[in-house]
Amino acid sequence: MNSSTQLVNNPETASVILHNVSKIYHLDAVEVPALTRINLLIRPNRFTVLSGASGSGKTTMLNLIGCIDKPDTGDITVANCRVGELSDDDLSDFRAQNIGFIFQNFNLLPVLSTYENVEYPLLLAGASAKVRGNRVPKLLEAVGLSDKAKNLPGQLSGGQRQRVAIARALTRKPKVVIADEPTANLDSKTGAAILALMRHMAERYQISFIFSSHDREVVRAADDTIFLKDGMIRGIRRKGLESAS
């Protein structure tokens, strides 16, 4: 029995499980398979990278894990919840409470300060002023931006904006963070610093980070790498375990 099978037989070791998941998009009368019969276990509190060429299915898989989209067939479990059994309203609540997002283009609100961008998810959740006042400064300190709390996004560098995005993703203490090409718009030095920061935050807050990336440095830093091609898993490399495919 290989290590991949052993992991699948121990679901308590998973932060995400995809079982026989397929997704098809329809372009007029043409069916375009994005993912085909995916079976995957993502280990908790690890860096997991989805690697593959454009069109391999990385973004589709992130959208399914992030509960932004739904599979056509199969089951997905995130943070011990079978998300396919949730109503749309419950799914929205689950996503807000358990999943954080970091975007390639940062997606910060330009009219809000650094502090206000990080605070915003807590405002949407109805958190008290006391909770916000306790949580936000700690996160800004953790990402090294306490001195930029009043700055607008336009007054920050690309690396600083991504640090704001990381802090914002962690405000509600998610169990999983989804990051779509998080270093793509950064130079190599800044990208390496952001990668180190995310690693530190993952360890500090015990969070599973799931990336899509073409960046060799991101892949090199991964605990687990999932190799995708044409909507199928072509290989899995897990540090500390024998390779599986």
Side-chain angles (χ1 to χ4, degrees):
M1 181 182 295
N2 66 35
S3 53
S4 178
T5 303
Q6 290 171 342
L7 281 169
V8 171
N9 287 339
N10 290 279
E12 68 274 9
T13 66
S15 64
V16 177
I17 300 173
L18 285 75
H19 177 65
N20 202 29
V21 167
S22 295
K23 181 67 180 180
I24 297 173
Y25 292 110
H26 298 272
L27 299 177
D28 296 325
V30 179
E31 289 190 348
V32 180
L35 292 174
T36 303
R37 296 187 300 277
I38 297 294
N39 290 287
L40 175 64
L41 181 149
I42 294 178
R43 296 192 289 171
N45 309 330
R46 302 297 207 287
F47 264 28
T48 298
V49 173
L50 309 181
S51 179
S54 178
S56 61
K58 301 189 305 297
T59 299
T60 297
M61 188 177 291
L62 284 183
N63 287 342
L64 293 177
I65 294 171
C67 302
I68 295 172
D69 202 354
K70 297 181 179 180
D72 293 312
T73 62
D75 297 312
I76 299 175
T77 300
V78 180
N80 296 319
C81 177
R82 296 185 66 173
V83 295
E85 298 176 356
L86 300 177
S87 68
D88 288 344
D89 287 345
D90 287 342
L91 186 63
S92 179
D93 289 342
F94 174 85
R95 181 173 58 242
Q97 293 168 12
N98 293 279
I99 304 174
F101 294 90
I102 300 171
F103 301 96
Q104 178 178 332
N105 295 318
F106 319 128
N107 284 14
L108 302 179
L109 295 172
V111 298
L112 298 184
S113 68
T114 294
Y115 187 101
E116 291 166 338
N117 265 285
V118 176
E119 180 186 40
Y120 191 60
L122 293 174
L123 285 170
L124 292 178
S128 68
K130 181 178 180 180
V131 169
R132 302 196 309 271
N134 180 54
R135 181 76 173 155
V136 176
K138 288 182 178 179
L139 284 169
L140 291 180
E141 180 181 3
V143 300
L145 288 178
S146 295
D147 61 336
K148 303 292 184 182
K150 295 182 179 180
N151 288 55
L152 296 173
Q155 299 169 319
L156 302 174
S157 68
Q160 289 170 336
R161 293 182 195 183
Q162 196 61 295
R163 288 173 181 268
V164 177
I166 292 168
R168 180 185 59 188
L170 301 179
T171 52
R172 297 192 66 182
K173 302 181 180 180
K175 296 179 176 64
V176 174
V177 169
I178 303 291
D180 189 5
E181 299 279 359
T183 63
N185 289 335
L186 305 174
D187 62 73
S188 59
K189 182 178 180 180
T190 303
I194 290 298
L195 196 59
L197 173 62
M198 287 190 286
R199 167 70 73 178
H200 172 70
M201 301 301 274
E203 293 173 353
R204 177 173 177 175
Y205 294 107
Q206 294 293 288
I207 297 170
S208 300
F209 273 73
I210 306 171
F211 304 85
S212 68
S213 185
H214 294 96
D215 189 331
R216 291 182 180 179
E217 293 303 316
V218 175
V219 173
R220 186 176 292 116
D223 296 311
D224 296 342
T225 305
I226 316 301
F227 298 97
L228 294 169
K229 184 177 180 181
D230 299 329
M232 301 180 71
I233 294 176
R234 301 300 184 179
I236 300 174
R237 184 175 65 213
R238 301 188 190 272
K239 288 183 179 177
L241 297 169
E242 63 179 286
S243 295
S245 60

